[in-house]
Amino acid sequence: MFRTALRNVLAHKARLLMTVLAVMLGVAFVSGTLVFTDTLSQAFRNQSAKSYDDVDVAVEMYPNPEEARKTPGLSQQVVDEVAKLDGVASVSPRVDGFAGVPDKNGKLIGLGWANKGANFTPGKDGKDRAYAFTSGAGPVRDTQIALDKDTADKGGYEVGDTVRVATNGPVKEYTLSGVFTTEDGAVNAGGSLVVFDTSVAQKLYLKPGWFQSLTVTAAPGADDAKLLDEVLKVVPKAATAQTGAALADQQAKDIEAGMGALNQVLLGFAGIALFVGIFLISNTFTMLVAQRTKELALMRAVGASRKQITRSVLAEAGLVGLVASAVGYVLGIGLAVGLRSAMSAFDLKVPAGDLVLGATPALAAFGVGVLITMLAAWLPGRRAAKIPPVAAMGSVHATASTKSLVLRNSFGAALTALGAVLIVLGAGQGGDEGRMFIAGGAFLTLIGVIVLIPMLSRPVIALIRPLFVGAFGVSGKLAGLNAVRNPRRTGATASALAIGLTLVTGLSVLGATVGSALDKATTDQIKADYMVTMASGTGLSQEALTALEKAPGVTAVSPQQAGALDIGGTYTSASGVTPGAVEKVLKLTVVNGSMASLGEGKIAVAEKTAEKRGLKVGATVPVEYLDKQKAKLTVGAIYEDSEFVSPVLLDKKILDAHEEQPYVPQIFVKTDGGASAANEQALSKAMGDNPAITVMDHKDIRDTFGGPINMLLNIMYGLLGMALIIAVLGVVNTLAMSVFERQQEIGMLRAIGLDRRRVKRMVRLEAVVISVFGAVVGIGLGSFLGWAVGETIKSSLPGYSLVLPWDRIGLFLVLAALVGVLASLWPARSAAKLNMLSAIKAE
């Protein structure tokens, strides 16, 4: 039986090629993901270990605002005391924060959030071990800086050049003293690193004489654990200290966790592709069994048992899976290399390191590939074994009994109904718990629809058949009839497309709905022409606010300063704004009272917060600020909740009096004449053409909020595209099987006058009917899931309303039809080339 299986595999290479392709793609994704994440993890672990080579003990101190008033960090005295401890070879104190450098066109180099500034701490030899200089030297004057090599190359800077540097304060110019390489995480993340003289860095990021962290290098023979104990006795209690080895281990665990999340996402898409591939594999082996009906019947007649027939089919599947897994594993290695190169192309710097080819990816590739193939082939093998020898000699397929169809449809209907109920319950529940219900319901509904899809094919295709008859005549009518001739096979093929389009449509509906809500929020709630932010995500300075207020053409400016107030024992977020200007830059709908009361020292409270706290206009509220000072404030207005401001509004000057370093994430600006290139340039010039400050108009604001969603959708579309490719192979298989089974029929049609052109058209239209049927099912189910998931997030998204992206849905239908046309090219050509006399004689 094994020799027979091997012979059959070699005899049907062309048909099995599509199965090999389907399994190969899924296996490539699985093995490529595992190799890629293993390689990335190992590279980051090696980099992490390297960055801690000279670190035996590390101390950090980032006190909370209350502690910072007493001790802002590690003092120079603490650094000196640590340096005097026995076993200490050297101490490197550090202070860091945001710093950005523009290129020659004035645009910020790096990713903003990963742009960093730090201090240069030379030892007795004048060198700082954190930086390896390739040219020049470290900064030793207030007017000097050093840059990492990547940033210097991108900006075209050389030693001696003047470089503009943006921090949270005004832009300043420095002389470039040196260029270095480093293992700093900011640079490796695609950012930049500006190194200042220590005194300059302290003034910029903390206070003169203070540091945020320090690293200790032990003398030869010193014990790290004992040294750690001695260091802990010297540093403040609020500081944390660890050995370099412990830090490296912790960072390695963090890297593993991060790679694990990426692994799960990519493997999830690989699972979808393999799941879709099951339908193709099952159809392929059903076709092969059909072609060998007489052969199998003869084997049964000469003594082969049902188990032997089933094992023969499974052996064929195992051989196919083995070949596909081997090729897929090799392709997966190529995919891992490609992903690594793609990260570098997007300025995501990947540490150098060898490709890691562990046992797990190889075992997973072969295990998954072989098991999936044999699982998909089990049912065709079982059906082949069940056909009695005499019946098999005269019939290609055993007719499904009424009882089996009733059981199948009843089971599918029950699963679909249960899944739909769970989805509706999840939509009503909302939140994370609701999404769990929806996930379970989606799985059950998808399985139920797959079981029911053969039954659905007849009524759905019957609805669209008149369109094809009217447009294409006899060819269209025959295509519609052929599409429902074998509902199970049509359903299995359409299922592959339905699964992919369910996910794509669900994501599209959700993305369009969330994007519309964000767009509406931007349009409806922001009256300002511009929103000004820091590219780093840090707060804007008072100098920036003052500069904007004085800029030409500006009619109103208000910050959205983040703060907090303790009201009745519970801290509530508050926004410091400019009275009289905030109403001009933001749409704040007043329910009661007046926003003018903010200028009188009163507060405005959001409607939901007021209801929850039982507050009304005129009520006196006892509050406590972050500096623990207490006061009584009067409610002057109640307004509708807005996502652009906190639940409590008050004059910025009141918050300033209680905050040493106010945090202003956004400033809203209204200009004379509205948004224009001239006004934008005037605002940038007023702030010293600071490359770290971003001036956004309404379009930029919409892109900022909606950009991540669109990027996520594009990534999802790309990953799900692989599932659709497998679905195309499934359509090719189904049509090839249909042509094979209908050779005699096609020959008769040719004999009575159906020419080759119309035969091709008939096969193509059959493919289009099947593809569009699968698309309709997928789009319907995907829209339902998109609505359900949207219901779970609408409470946190003001202005939410369901949006069906009809343009994309129309595009999906067109693409589905195109898939059918492309998939039919080979089968249609084969059908048209059949010799009519030979076909009529075929059994």
Side-chain angles (χ1 to χ4, degrees):
M1 295 302 291
F2 179 78
R3 285 198 301 271
T4 302
L6 181 59
R7 186 201 67 189
N8 287 326
V9 168
L10 296 175
H12 300 96
K13 295 187 288 292
R15 292 280 164 81
L16 289 171
L17 179 62
M18 283 175 281
T19 296
V20 170
L21 288 173
V23 178
M24 180 185 72
L25 288 173
V27 168
F29 219 134
V30 171
S31 59
T33 294
L34 294 174
V35 171
F36 173 66
T37 51
D38 284 351
T39 300
L40 220 57
S41 294
Q42 186 62 46
F44 278 117
R45 279 196 297 270
N46 291 341
Q47 182 191 64
S48 174
K50 187 177 179 181
S51 65
Y52 288 109
D53 276 348
D54 295 323
V55 178
D56 293 290
V57 175
V59 181
E60 290 186 344
M61 187 173 176
Y62 293 91
N64 59 45
E66 186 177 351
E67 293 173 339
R69 290 186 181 88
K70 301 175 183 176
T71 308
L74 301 167
S75 66
Q76 184 63 52
Q77 181 182 353
V78 169
V79 174
D80 293 340
E81 289 178 5
V82 171
K84 293 176 183 177
L85 293 173
D86 290 338
V88 173
S90 64
V91 178
S92 300
R94 304 290 177 190
V95 60
D96 57 53
F98 169 76
V101 173
D103 58 19
K104 297 297 184 181
N105 297 319
K107 293 185 178 181
L108 187 69
I109 298 172
L111 301 175
W113 59 269
N115 290 354
K116 179 180 171 185
N119 66 308
F120 179 66
T121 306
K124 295 178 181 178
D125 58 357
K127 297 180 180 179
D128 188 329
R129 295 186 179 183
Y131 316 114
F133 282 86
T134 58
S135 61
V140 292
R141 298 191 184 125
D142 291 355
T143 56
Q144 293 180 330
I145 61 160
L147 289 175
D148 68 275
K149 191 175 186 304
D150 286 347
T151 302
D153 290 343
K154 290 175 183 176
Y157 295 114
E158 296 180 354
V159 174
D161 287 351
T162 299
V163 182
R164 299 175 70 244
V165 180
T167 57
N168 291 339
V171 178
K172 293 184 178 179
E173 292 186 345
Y174 298 87
T175 300
L176 184 62
S177 66
V179 176
F180 58 85
T181 58
T182 179
E183 295 297 331
D184 190 277
V187 176
N188 290 318
S192 62
L193 180 58
V194 182
V195 174
F196 301 91
D197 178 64
T198 294
S199 62
V200 175
Q202 287 176 327
K203 291 174 185 175
L204 288 172
Y205 303 126
L206 203 56
K207 285 183 177 180
W210 294 87
F211 300 93
Q212 293 157 329
S213 62
L214 60 86
T215 58
V216 179
T217 302
D223 183 81
D224 290 358
K226 290 182 180 179
L227 185 58
L228 175 62
D229 292 337
E230 294 300 316
V231 170
L232 285 170
K233 294 176 183 177
V234 176
V235 300
K237 292 182 179 180
T240 58
Q242 286 180 281
T243 62
L247 280 172
D249 290 343
Q250 182 59 49
Q251 198 166 66
K253 290 178 182 177
D254 293 341
I255 291 168
E256 288 290 341
M259 291 297 108
L262 178 63
N263 242 353
Q264 290 174 8
V265 172
L266 294 177
L267 288 176
F269 285 102
I272 292 169
L274 288 169
F275 184 61
V276 171
I278 286 176
F279 297 99
L280 187 154
I281 298 164
S282 181
N283 267 355
T284 300
F285 279 93
T286 298
M287 177 173 63
L288 294 177
V289 167
Q291 288 178 328
R292 291 161 42 212
T293 300
K294 286 188 175 182
E295 177 188 326
L296 293 172
L298 183 61
M299 292 175 67
R300 289 292 313 281
V302 297
S305 66
R306 288 185 175 184
K307 288 184 178 179
Q308 286 179 308
I309 295 295
T310 303
R311 284 199 293 265
S312 174
V313 175
L314 291 178
E316 290 178 43
L319 289 170
V320 171
L322 197 63
V323 173
S325 298
V327 179
Y329 177 65
V330 174
L331 283 179
I333 295 173
L335 178 63
V337 174
L339 285 172
R340 187 168 176 175
S341 300
M343 289 184 70
S344 300
F346 283 100
D347 285 336
L348 298 173
K349 190 174 179 181
V350 180
D354 296 330
L355 197 68
V356 177
L357 301 177
T360 301
L363 292 174
F366 285 92
V368 168
V370 173
L371 287 175
I372 288 292
T373 310
M374 293 181 71
L375 176 66
W378 176 76
L379 192 58
R382 187 167 173 269
R383 285 176 182 166
K386 277 187 173 182
I387 301 174
V390 174
M393 293 292 285
S395 177
V396 172
H397 292 291
T399 305
S401 67
T402 305
K403 181 181 177 182
S404 70
L405 292 175
V406 169
L407 286 174
R408 176 190 178 113
N409 293 336
S410 299
F411 178 66
L415 275 181
T416 304
L418 178 59
V421 169
L422 286 175
I423 291 170
V424 173
L425 284 175
Q429 178 78 23
D432 291 338
E433 188 176 345
R435 285 189 282 276
M436 292 295 291
F437 274 104
I438 292 172
F443 177 75
L444 293 177
T445 302
L446 199 58
I447 298 297
V449 168
I450 289 170
V451 174
L452 279 177
I453 210 166
M455 184 186 75
L456 295 173
S457 63
R458 291 186 182 275
V460 174
I461 292 176
L463 287 175
I464 61 177
R465 189 189 305 155
L467 299 175
F468 289 91
V469 175
F472 302 103
V474 174
S475 296
K477 183 177 181 179
L478 290 173
L481 292 172
N482 290 333
V484 294
R485 176 175 293 188
N486 191 328
R488 287 190 176 183
R489 191 165 63 221
T490 296
T493 304
S495 294
L497 277 169
I499 293 167
L501 282 173
T502 293
L503 297 169
V504 170
T505 304
L507 289 169
S508 297
V509 169
L510 191 60
T513 300
V514 173
S516 175
L518 292 174
D519 188 54
K520 186 178 179 182
T522 303
T523 305
D524 291 354
Q525 296 185 42
I526 298 181
K527 295 162 69 176
D529 298 312
Y530 298 100
M531 183 173 77
V532 180
T533 62
M534 285 290 289
S536 61
T538 55
L540 290 150
S541 65
Q542 179 61 44
E543 288 88 346
L545 178 60
T546 303
L548 288 170
E549 290 173 338
K550 295 179 179 179
V554 172
T555 58
V557 177
S558 178
Q560 196 284 98
Q561 180 174 319
L565 299 174
D566 185 336
I567 302 175
T570 303
Y571 272 102
T572 303
S573 61
S575 290
V577 298
T578 302
V582 67
E583 308 98 302
K584 297 177 183 178
V585 296
L586 294 174
K587 183 179 179 181
L588 298 172
T589 304
V590 178
V591 177
N592 199 0
S594 172
M595 282 292 174
S597 62
L598 292 174
E600 301 169 5
K602 297 180 181 180
I603 61 173
V605 184
E607 191 174 16
K608 290 180 181 178
T609 303
E611 290 176 2
K612 186 177 179 181
R613 303 291 180 90
L615 300 177
K616 296 181 179 180
V617 172
T620 301
V621 183
V623 301
E624 183 178 281
Y625 298 100
L626 290 176
D627 62 358
K628 300 302 180 182
Q629 291 189 28
K630 297 180 180 180
K632 289 185 179 181
L633 298 174
T634 303
V635 178
I638 294 176
Y639 60 94
E640 290 182 2
D641 291 68
S642 169
E643 64 178 288
F644 287 98
V645 291
S646 301
V648 176
L649 298 182
L650 71 165
D651 190 338
K652 177 184 182 297
K653 293 178 182 177
I654 298 176
L655 274 183
D656 286 347
H658 301 279
E659 295 182 350
E660 189 172 347
Q661 291 183 331
Y663 176 60
V664 180
Q666 299 115 13
I667 298 175
F668 296 96
V669 183
K670 187 78 173 173
T671 57
D672 187 14
S676 66
N679 280 336
E680 184 175 339
Q681 187 176 2
L683 295 180
S684 297
K685 187 175 181 180
M687 293 180 292
D689 290 323
N690 191 327
I693 295 179
T694 304
V695 180
M696 294 186 285
D697 59 17
H698 277 243
K699 181 181 180 301
D700 296 327
I701 297 170
R702 286 195 296 268
D703 291 344
T704 298
F705 287 110
I709 295 173
N710 293 330
M711 183 182 293
L712 180 63
L713 283 176
N714 291 333
I715 292 171
M716 297 295 186
Y717 290 158
L719 293 171
L720 291 171
M722 186 175 63
L724 295 179
I725 291 172
I726 295 174
V728 172
L729 298 176
V731 177
V732 174
N733 246 12
T734 296
L735 293 175
M737 190 188 308
S738 180
V739 169
F740 165 74
E741 290 178 356
R742 297 186 346 246
Q743 289 185 69
Q744 195 173 61
E745 176 188 316
I746 293 170
M748 290 294 294
L749 290 171
R750 288 289 316 282
I752 61 176
L754 195 71
D755 59 22
R756 289 184 175 183
R757 182 173 57 86
R758 283 188 286 182
V759 168
K760 285 183 179 180
R761 183 185 298 165
M762 176 185 71
V763 177
R764 286 172 185 160
L765 291 176
E766 182 182 346
V768 171
V769 168
I770 294 171
S771 299
V772 171
F773 166 56
V776 168
V777 173
I779 288 169
L781 187 54
S783 299
F784 179 47
L785 290 174
W787 162 80
V789 175
E791 288 293 303
T792 66
I793 62 174
K794 71 176 184 179
S795 59
S796 59
L797 200 60
Y800 173 91
S801 61
L802 181 66
V803 175
L804 292 177
W806 294 110
D807 55 341
R808 294 187 188 182
I809 288 174
L811 179 62
F812 295 157
L813 286 171
V814 171
L815 288 175
L818 183 61
V819 161
V821 172
L822 292 175
S824 68
L825 291 177
W826 173 60
R829 188 165 176 269
S830 299
K833 289 178 70 176
L834 282 174
N835 181 288
M836 67 179 74
L837 294 178
S838 300
I840 291 171
K841 290 190 296 181
E843 298 183 10

